[in-house]
Amino acid sequence: MIVVRAVPADIPRLLKFRTDAASWLSANGSDQWSTPYPPELLIDSVSAGEVYLFHPTPRDLAVATVTLDRKAEPVLWSEEERDEQALYVHKLTLARPGNGQGLGAAILDWCGDQAARDGAKWLRLDAWTANTRLHAYYERLGFTHLRTVHDPAAYESGWVAQRPAAPCEHSFHLQPADHGQEPGGHRP
């Protein structure tokens, strides 16, 4: 699987990932991601080089995305936790969620490997407070639930967890961004 950093031309594809995932979540009884994501925040993450796209081959459309950064929301993480070296997983989204192929778990392993290579102690994430199926999934993948912040006015994604950052064998190959790519994440 080929991994590339997203570029501005990928933003429509990234937004489609989000709306498609929201539709799938809604069909499965969750209101997660029912509010449109502000494109300016996505532009900032893409410009910072924090958004990744996953392609089965260089010519295939992206089948997944994740944002991996050092941004710890103060409402979720204590000051002591924010002082620890950690990378944070955001917006992990698959084109075909719930298909049982293990892509989400493999991406999280890749994220943990990236965190370890970056010198981080932890790989951390937050999940939609009401999405208990997602919580159980993360726990099965070795994340330890630390707490749930119940403040929907401030943050609806208040279930926080972490696992140690660790190197691992994976089949992902990080490629430099192709600024000549076609819109939608397709590599010519």
Side-chain angles (χ1 to χ4, degrees):
M1 178 105 23
I2 308 300
V3 184
V4 295
R5 290 184 198 276
V7 295
D10 293 316
I11 289 175
R13 177 66 176 137
L14 294 167
L15 291 171
K16 183 162 176 33
F17 269 121
R18 178 80 172 211
T19 57
D20 290 353
S23 294
W24 181 83
L25 288 160
S26 177
N28 284 278
S30 175
D31 66 342
Q32 181 174 341
W33 291 357
S34 56
T35 303
Y37 193 75
E40 61 275 7
L41 295 179
L42 191 54
I43 291 166
D44 290 346
S45 294
V46 167
S47 297
E50 301 164 340
V51 181
Y52 298 89
L53 290 163
F54 296 78
H55 301 262
T57 71
R59 295 210 167 273
D60 290 329
L61 286 175
V63 296
T65 182
V66 70
T67 299
L68 189 61
D69 61 32
R70 293 193 172 275
K71 296 175 185 153
E73 294 289 338
V75 70
L76 299 177
W77 302 96
S78 72
E79 185 176 340
E80 289 172 349
E81 289 165 338
R82 292 191 311 270
D83 286 342
E84 294 177 318
Q85 294 295 319
L87 286 185
Y88 296 81
V89 173
H90 306 281
K91 299 180 279 306
L92 172 58
T93 313
L94 308 180
R96 293 180 28 212
N99 71 358
Q101 299 297 312
L103 181 57
I107 290 171
L108 287 168
D109 287 345
W110 178 83
C111 290
D113 184 72
Q114 296 302 302
R117 290 172 187 265
D118 198 46
K121 178 179 179 180
W122 300 107
L123 180 65
R124 291 180 171 155
L125 52 76
D126 58 88
W128 201 254
T129 303
N131 192 339
T132 56
R133 286 178 51 197
L134 186 57
H135 306 165
Y137 171 75
Y138 287 138
E139 288 176 328
R140 282 193 307 274
L141 296 177
F143 284 87
T144 300
H145 174 235
L146 300 177
R147 73 189 141 276
T148 301
V149 177
H150 293 284
D151 187 358
Y155 214 79
E156 292 183 271
S157 193
W159 187 90
V160 297
Q162 67 184 15
R163 74 179 189 194
C168 72
E169 295 292 322
H170 55 74
S171 62
F172 297 120
H173 305 285
L174 183 60
Q175 302 291 316
D178 179 0
H179 295 282
Q181 76 186 40
E182 296 173 14
H186 181 76
R187 308 289 166 189

mmCIF file of all heavy atoms in Angstrom, residues 9-45:
data_model
loop_
_atom_site.group_PDB
_atom_site.id
_atom_site.type_symbol
_atom_site.label_atom_id
_atom_site.label_comp_id
_atom_site.label_asym_id
_atom_site.label_seq_id
_atom_site.Cartn_x
_atom_site.Cartn_y
_atom_site.Cartn_z
ATOM 1 N N ALA A 9 -5.023 19.633 -3.642
ATOM 2 C CA ALA A 9 -5.902 19.019 -4.645
ATOM 3 C C ALA A 9 -6.695 17.841 -4.084
ATOM 4 O O ALA A 9 -7.709 17.437 -4.658
ATOM 5 C CB ALA A 9 -5.075 18.576 -5.853
ATOM 6 N N ASP A 10 -6.257 17.279 -2.949
ATOM 7 C CA ASP A 10 -6.943 16.147 -2.323
ATOM 8 C C ASP A 10 -8.120 16.555 -1.447
ATOM 9 O O ASP A 10 -8.882 15.698 -0.993
ATOM 10 C CB ASP A 10 -5.964 15.344 -1.454
ATOM 11 C CG ASP A 10 -4.895 14.650 -2.260
ATOM 12 O OD1 ASP A 10 -5.237 14.052 -3.299
ATOM 13 O OD2 ASP A 10 -3.718 14.704 -1.847
ATOM 14 N N ILE A 11 -8.286 17.821 -1.177
ATOM 15 C CA ILE A 11 -9.315 18.250 -0.223
ATOM 16 C C ILE A 11 -10.716 17.781 -0.614
ATOM 17 O O ILE A 11 -11.444 17.282 0.256
ATOM 18 C CB ILE A 11 -9.214 19.758 0.052
ATOM 19 C CG1 ILE A 11 -7.937 19.995 0.885
ATOM 20 C CG2 ILE A 11 -10.455 20.288 0.772
ATOM 21 C CD1 ILE A 11 -7.583 21.410 1.164
ATOM 22 N N PRO A 12 -11.141 17.866 -1.875
ATOM 23 C CA PRO A 12 -12.474 17.335 -2.195
ATOM 24 C C PRO A 12 -12.617 15.847 -1.850
ATOM 25 O O PRO A 12 -13.652 15.425 -1.334
ATOM 26 C CB PRO A 12 -12.603 17.578 -3.705
ATOM 27 C CG PRO A 12 -11.711 18.752 -3.960
ATOM 28 C CD PRO A 12 -10.545 18.559 -3.031
ATOM 29 N N ARG A 13 -11.567 15.054 -2.092
ATOM 30 C CA ARG A 13 -11.621 13.630 -1.748
ATOM 31 C C ARG A 13 -11.687 13.446 -0.237
ATOM 32 O O ARG A 13 -12.413 12.601 0.270
ATOM 33 C CB ARG A 13 -10.395 12.907 -2.330
ATOM 34 C CG ARG A 13 -10.319 11.438 -1.971
ATOM 35 C CD ARG A 13 -11.447 10.639 -2.593
ATOM 36 N NE ARG A 13 -11.282 9.219 -2.302
ATOM 37 C CZ ARG A 13 -12.280 8.446 -1.936
ATOM 38 N NH1 ARG A 13 -13.500 8.924 -1.846
ATOM 39 N NH2 ARG A 13 -12.066 7.173 -1.690
ATOM 40 N N LEU A 14 -10.928 14.237 0.499
ATOM 41 C CA LEU A 14 -10.947 14.142 1.960
ATOM 42 C C LEU A 14 -12.320 14.499 2.515
ATOM 43 O O LEU A 14 -12.821 13.839 3.433
ATOM 44 C CB LEU A 14 -9.867 15.038 2.562
ATOM 45 C CG LEU A 14 -8.425 14.625 2.246
ATOM 46 C CD1 LEU A 14 -7.459 15.733 2.606
ATOM 47 C CD2 LEU A 14 -8.068 13.329 2.959
ATOM 48 N N LEU A 15 -12.940 15.528 1.970
ATOM 49 C CA LEU A 15 -14.289 15.897 2.407
ATOM 50 C C LEU A 15 -15.296 14.805 2.055
ATOM 51 O O LEU A 15 -16.215 14.527 2.821
ATOM 52 C CB LEU A 15 -14.703 17.243 1.801
ATOM 53 C CG LEU A 15 -13.931 18.451 2.338
ATOM 54 C CD1 LEU A 15 -14.251 19.699 1.522
ATOM 55 C CD2 LEU A 15 -14.221 18.675 3.820
ATOM 56 N N LYS A 16 -15.105 14.155 0.904
ATOM 57 C CA LYS A 16 -15.997 13.051 0.527
ATOM 58 C C LYS A 16 -15.829 11.870 1.474
ATOM 59 O O LYS A 16 -16.805 11.226 1.843
ATOM 60 C CB LYS A 16 -15.760 12.635 -0.915
ATOM 61 C CG LYS A 16 -16.713 11.540 -1.376
ATOM 62 C CD LYS A 16 -16.782 11.435 -2.858
ATOM 63 C CE LYS A 16 -17.652 10.301 -3.357
ATOM 64 N NZ LYS A 16 -18.809 9.935 -2.587
ATOM 65 N N PHE A 17 -14.585 11.570 1.867
ATOM 66 C CA PHE A 17 -14.383 10.534 2.877
ATOM 67 C C PHE A 17 -15.263 10.826 4.088
ATOM 68 O O PHE A 17 -15.942 9.951 4.615
ATOM 69 C CB PHE A 17 -12.919 10.497 3.348
ATOM 70 C CG PHE A 17 -12.020 9.574 2.588
ATOM 71 C CD1 PHE A 17 -10.904 10.058 1.943
ATOM 72 C CD2 PHE A 17 -12.268 8.214 2.540
ATOM 73 C CE1 PHE A 17 -10.041 9.213 1.269
ATOM 74 C CE2 PHE A 17 -11.413 7.352 1.865
ATOM 75 C CZ PHE A 17 -10.301 7.861 1.220
ATOM 76 N N ARG A 18 -15.248 12.064 4.526
ATOM 77 C CA ARG A 18 -15.975 12.460 5.733
ATOM 78 C C ARG A 18 -17.483 12.316 5.543
ATOM 79 O O ARG A 18 -18.170 11.764 6.401
ATOM 80 C CB ARG A 18 -15.589 13.908 6.079
ATOM 81 C CG ARG A 18 -16.281 14.500 7.259
ATOM 82 C CD ARG A 18 -15.667 14.071 8.551
ATOM 83 N NE ARG A 18 -16.241 14.813 9.653
ATOM 84 C CZ ARG A 18 -15.596 15.116 10.736
ATOM 85 N NH1 ARG A 18 -14.348 14.764 10.896
ATOM 86 N NH2 ARG A 18 -16.188 15.763 11.706
ATOM 87 N N THR A 19 -18.026 12.814 4.444
ATOM 88 C CA THR A 19 -19.482 12.740 4.228
ATOM 89 C C THR A 19 -19.922 11.292 4.012
ATOM 90 O O THR A 19 -20.979 10.890 4.502
ATOM 91 C CB THR A 19 -19.937 13.633 3.060
ATOM 92 O OG1 THR A 19 -19.238 13.271 1.875
ATOM 93 C CG2 THR A 19 -19.711 15.104 3.374
ATOM 94 N N ASP A 20 -19.131 10.502 3.293
ATOM 95 C CA ASP A 20 -19.475 9.088 3.112
ATOM 96 C C ASP A 20 -19.459 8.342 4.439
ATOM 97 O O ASP A 20 -20.332 7.524 4.721
ATOM 98 C CB ASP A 20 -18.512 8.415 2.129
ATOM 99 C CG ASP A 20 -18.694 8.871 0.693
ATOM 100 O OD1 ASP A 20 -19.662 9.617 0.402
ATOM 101 O OD2 ASP A 20 -17.850 8.501 -0.151
ATOM 102 N N ALA A 21 -18.455 8.623 5.275
ATOM 103 C CA ALA A 21 -18.381 7.981 6.590
ATOM 104 C C ALA A 21 -19.553 8.397 7.460
ATOM 105 O O ALA A 21 -20.136 7.569 8.164
ATOM 106 C CB ALA A 21 -17.058 8.314 7.274
ATOM 107 N N ALA A 22 -19.931 9.670 7.406
ATOM 108 C CA ALA A 22 -21.079 10.142 8.189
ATOM 109 C C ALA A 22 -22.351 9.424 7.757
ATOM 110 O O ALA A 22 -23.171 9.053 8.600
ATOM 111 C CB ALA A 22 -21.228 11.652 8.043
ATOM 112 N N SER A 23 -22.514 9.199 6.466
ATOM 113 C CA SER A 23 -23.690 8.465 5.968
ATOM 114 C C SER A 23 -23.681 7.031 6.468
ATOM 115 O O SER A 23 -24.704 6.497 6.899
ATOM 116 C CB SER A 23 -23.727 8.481 4.437
ATOM 117 O OG SER A 23 -23.920 9.779 3.967
ATOM 118 N N TRP A 24 -22.507 6.381 6.415
ATOM 119 C CA TRP A 24 -22.399 5.010 6.891
ATOM 120 C C TRP A 24 -22.684 4.940 8.394
ATOM 121 O O TRP A 24 -23.402 4.061 8.862
ATOM 122 C CB TRP A 24 -20.999 4.466 6.586
ATOM 123 C CG TRP A 24 -20.806 3.041 7.013
ATOM 124 C CD1 TRP A 24 -21.166 1.916 6.326
ATOM 125 C CD2 TRP A 24 -20.223 2.580 8.234
ATOM 126 N NE1 TRP A 24 -20.841 0.794 7.040
ATOM 127 C CE2 TRP A 24 -20.255 1.170 8.223
ATOM 128 C CE3 TRP A 24 -19.666 3.221 9.338
ATOM 129 C CZ2 TRP A 24 -19.755 0.395 9.261
ATOM 130 C CZ3 TRP A 24 -19.178 2.443 10.376
ATOM 131 C CH2 TRP A 24 -19.219 1.048 10.338
ATOM 132 N N LEU A 25 -22.119 5.880 9.140
ATOM 133 C CA LEU A 25 -22.352 5.917 10.586
ATOM 134 C C LEU A 25 -23.828 6.129 10.896
ATOM 135 O O LEU A 25 -24.392 5.470 11.775
ATOM 136 C CB LEU A 25 -21.502 7.015 11.229
ATOM 137 C CG LEU A 25 -20.006 6.727 11.312
ATOM 138 C CD1 LEU A 25 -19.213 8.018 11.505
ATOM 139 C CD2 LEU A 25 -19.715 5.743 12.434
ATOM 140 N N SER A 26 -24.458 7.030 10.187
ATOM 141 C CA SER A 26 -25.883 7.297 10.392
ATOM 142 C C SER A 26 -26.709 6.045 10.120
ATOM 143 O O SER A 26 -27.629 5.715 10.878
ATOM 144 C CB SER A 26 -26.338 8.445 9.491
ATOM 145 O OG SER A 26 -27.716 8.673 9.636
ATOM 146 N N ALA A 27 -26.387 5.327 9.051
ATOM 147 C CA ALA A 27 -27.105 4.090 8.723
ATOM 148 C C ALA A 27 -26.907 3.026 9.796
ATOM 149 O O ALA A 27 -27.719 2.106 9.924
ATOM 150 C CB ALA A 27 -26.644 3.563 7.371
ATOM 151 N N ASN A 28 -25.831 3.174 10.586
ATOM 152 C CA ASN A 28 -25.551 2.241 11.676
ATOM 153 C C ASN A 28 -25.920 2.805 13.043
ATOM 154 O O ASN A 28 -25.444 2.338 14.069
ATOM 155 C CB ASN A 28 -24.079 1.835 11.632
ATOM 156 C CG ASN A 28 -23.809 0.842 10.530
ATOM 157 O OD1 ASN A 28 -24.033 -0.349 10.704
ATOM 158 N ND2 ASN A 28 -23.364 1.323 9.383
ATOM 159 N N GLY A 29 -26.736 3.871 13.055
ATOM 160 C CA GLY A 29 -27.295 4.392 14.289
ATOM 161 C C GLY A 29 -26.446 5.389 15.045
ATOM 162 O O GLY A 29 -26.708 5.645 16.223
ATOM 163 N N SER A 30 -25.438 5.971 14.413
ATOM 164 C CA SER A 30 -24.574 6.931 15.101
ATOM 165 C C SER A 30 -24.718 8.316 14.491
ATOM 166 O O SER A 30 -24.846 8.459 13.279
ATOM 167 C CB SER A 30 -23.107 6.480 14.999
ATOM 168 O OG SER A 30 -22.249 7.461 15.568
ATOM 169 N N ASP A 31 -24.662 9.326 15.350
ATOM 170 C CA ASP A 31 -24.691 10.707 14.855
ATOM 171 C C ASP A 31 -23.279 11.278 14.691
ATOM 172 O O ASP A 31 -23.104 12.461 14.428
ATOM 173 C CB ASP A 31 -25.516 11.599 15.779
ATOM 174 C CG ASP A 31 -24.899 11.770 17.157
ATOM 175 O OD1 ASP A 31 -24.024 10.968 17.550
ATOM 176 O OD2 ASP A 31 -25.297 12.712 17.864
ATOM 177 N N GLN A 32 -22.265 10.408 14.802
ATOM 178 C CA GLN A 32 -20.879 10.852 14.654
ATOM 179 C C GLN A 32 -20.685 11.489 13.284
ATOM 180 O O GLN A 32 -21.143 10.983 12.280
ATOM 181 C CB GLN A 32 -19.933 9.670 14.822
ATOM 182 C CG GLN A 32 -18.481 10.052 14.713
ATOM 183 C CD GLN A 32 -17.553 8.891 15.015
ATOM 184 O OE1 GLN A 32 -17.936 7.913 15.632
ATOM 185 N NE2 GLN A 32 -16.320 9.007 14.585
ATOM 186 N N TRP A 33 -19.983 12.609 13.276
ATOM 187 C CA TRP A 33 -19.608 13.346 12.072
ATOM 188 C C TRP A 33 -20.814 13.848 11.289
ATOM 189 O O TRP A 33 -20.727 14.103 10.094
ATOM 190 C CB TRP A 33 -18.692 12.525 11.180
ATOM 191 C CG TRP A 33 -17.322 12.302 11.755
ATOM 192 C CD1 TRP A 33 -16.827 12.801 12.919
ATOM 193 C CD2 TRP A 33 -16.279 11.527 11.188
ATOM 194 N NE1 TRP A 33 -15.539 12.382 13.106
ATOM 195 C CE2 TRP A 33 -15.176 11.596 12.062
ATOM 196 C CE3 TRP A 33 -16.172 10.772 10.030
ATOM 197 C CZ2 TRP A 33 -13.981 10.948 11.806
ATOM 198 C CZ3 TRP A 33 -14.976 10.128 9.776
ATOM 199 C CH2 TRP A 33 -13.896 10.209 10.651
ATOM 200 N N SER A 34 -21.944 14.013 11.960
ATOM 201 C CA SER A 34 -23.137 14.504 11.260
ATOM 202 C C SER A 34 -23.044 15.997 10.948
ATOM 203 O O SER A 34 -23.763 16.496 10.103
ATOM 204 C CB SER A 34 -24.393 14.206 12.084
ATOM 205 O OG SER A 34 -24.284 14.766 13.377
ATOM 206 N N THR A 35 -22.123 16.693 11.621
ATOM 207 C CA THR A 35 -21.891 18.110 11.350
ATOM 208 C C THR A 35 -20.772 18.227 10.320
ATOM 209 O O THR A 35 -19.718 17.606 10.484
ATOM 210 C CB THR A 35 -21.478 18.842 12.645
ATOM 211 O OG1 THR A 35 -22.486 18.642 13.619
ATOM 212 C CG2 THR A 35 -21.273 20.314 12.394
ATOM 213 N N PRO A 36 -20.968 19.011 9.263
ATOM 214 C CA PRO A 36 -19.910 19.147 8.259
ATOM 215 C C PRO A 36 -18.613 19.657 8.877
ATOM 216 O O PRO A 36 -18.616 20.481 9.778
ATOM 217 C CB PRO A 36 -20.476 20.176 7.270
ATOM 218 C CG PRO A 36 -21.952 20.117 7.457
ATOM 219 C CD PRO A 36 -22.174 19.765 8.907
ATOM 220 N N TYR A 37 -17.495 19.117 8.383
ATOM 221 C CA TYR A 37 -16.184 19.503 8.882
ATOM 222 C C TYR A 37 -15.760 20.812 8.231
ATOM 223 O O TYR A 37 -15.863 20.963 7.017
ATOM 224 C CB TYR A 37 -15.156 18.411 8.573
ATOM 225 C CG TYR A 37 -13.865 18.598 9.317
ATOM 226 C CD1 TYR A 37 -13.784 18.312 10.670
ATOM 227 C CD2 TYR A 37 -12.736 19.082 8.676
ATOM 228 C CE1 TYR A 37 -12.595 18.497 11.370
ATOM 229 C CE2 TYR A 37 -11.552 19.264 9.366
ATOM 230 C CZ TYR A 37 -11.489 18.971 10.711
ATOM 231 O OH TYR A 37 -10.323 19.161 11.399
ATOM 232 N N PRO A 38 -15.273 21.772 9.011
ATOM 233 C CA PRO A 38 -14.854 23.054 8.439
ATOM 234 C C PRO A 38 -13.655 22.873 7.492
ATOM 235 O O PRO A 38 -12.575 22.457 7.924
ATOM 236 C CB PRO A 38 -14.450 23.891 9.654
ATOM 237 C CG PRO A 38 -15.056 23.208 10.830
ATOM 238 C CD PRO A 38 -15.156 21.755 10.465
ATOM 239 N N PRO A 39 -13.834 23.170 6.200
ATOM 240 C CA PRO A 39 -12.737 22.967 5.243
ATOM 241 C C PRO A 39 -11.453 23.714 5.605
ATOM 242 O O PRO A 39 -10.363 23.224 5.338
ATOM 243 C CB PRO A 39 -13.305 23.486 3.917
ATOM 244 C CG PRO A 39 -14.776 23.450 4.087
ATOM 245 C CD PRO A 39 -15.042 23.649 5.554
ATOM 246 N N GLU A 40 -11.578 24.872 6.263
ATOM 247 C CA GLU A 40 -10.361 25.621 6.597
ATOM 248 C C GLU A 40 -9.482 24.863 7.581
ATOM 249 O O GLU A 40 -8.248 24.975 7.524
ATOM 250 C CB GLU A 40 -10.680 27.029 7.114
ATOM 251 C CG GLU A 40 -11.499 27.078 8.378
ATOM 252 C CD GLU A 40 -13.019 26.984 8.159
ATOM 253 O OE1 GLU A 40 -13.465 26.756 7.033
ATOM 254 O OE2 GLU A 40 -13.737 27.122 9.166
ATOM 255 N N LEU A 41 -10.082 24.063 8.454
ATOM 256 C CA LEU A 41 -9.268 23.249 9.363
ATOM 257 C C LEU A 41 -8.550 22.146 8.600
ATOM 258 O O LEU A 41 -7.408 21.810 8.899
ATOM 259 C CB LEU A 41 -10.136 22.653 10.471
ATOM 260 C CG LEU A 41 -10.773 23.645 11.439
ATOM 261 C CD1 LEU A 41 -11.621 22.915 12.474
ATOM 262 C CD2 LEU A 41 -9.717 24.502 12.120
ATOM 263 N N LEU A 42 -9.232 21.606 7.615
ATOM 264 C CA LEU A 42 -8.629 20.573 6.785
ATOM 265 C C LEU A 42 -7.477 21.157 5.968
ATOM 266 O O LEU A 42 -6.405 20.551 5.860
ATOM 267 C CB LEU A 42 -9.687 19.965 5.872
ATOM 268 C CG LEU A 42 -9.314 18.710 5.113
ATOM 269 C CD1 LEU A 42 -8.800 17.635 6.041
ATOM 270 C CD2 LEU A 42 -10.518 18.214 4.353
ATOM 271 N N ILE A 43 -7.677 22.329 5.434
ATOM 272 C CA ILE A 43 -6.623 22.999 4.662
ATOM 273 C C ILE A 43 -5.388 23.210 5.540
ATOM 274 O O ILE A 43 -4.263 22.960 5.106
ATOM 275 C CB ILE A 43 -7.143 24.331 4.085
ATOM 276 C CG1 ILE A 43 -8.184 24.054 3.000
ATOM 277 C CG2 ILE A 43 -6.002 25.171 3.535
ATOM 278 C CD1 ILE A 43 -8.998 25.273 2.591
ATOM 279 N N ASP A 44 -5.602 23.630 6.785
ATOM 280 C CA ASP A 44 -4.473 23.837 7.699
ATOM 281 C C ASP A 44 -3.702 22.532 7.938
ATOM 282 O O ASP A 44 -2.475 22.515 7.920
ATOM 283 C CB ASP A 44 -4.957 24.405 9.040
ATOM 284 C CG ASP A 44 -5.434 25.841 8.937
ATOM 285 O OD1 ASP A 44 -5.156 26.508 7.916
ATOM 286 O OD2 ASP A 44 -6.105 26.298 9.893
ATOM 287 N N SER A 45 -4.433 21.428 8.166
ATOM 288 C CA SER A 45 -3.779 20.134 8.408
ATOM 289 C C SER A 45 -3.037 19.641 7.175
ATOM 290 O O SER A 45 -1.931 19.095 7.274
ATOM 291 C CB SER A 45 -4.811 19.089 8.840
ATOM 292 O OG SER A 45 -5.352 19.416 10.097
#
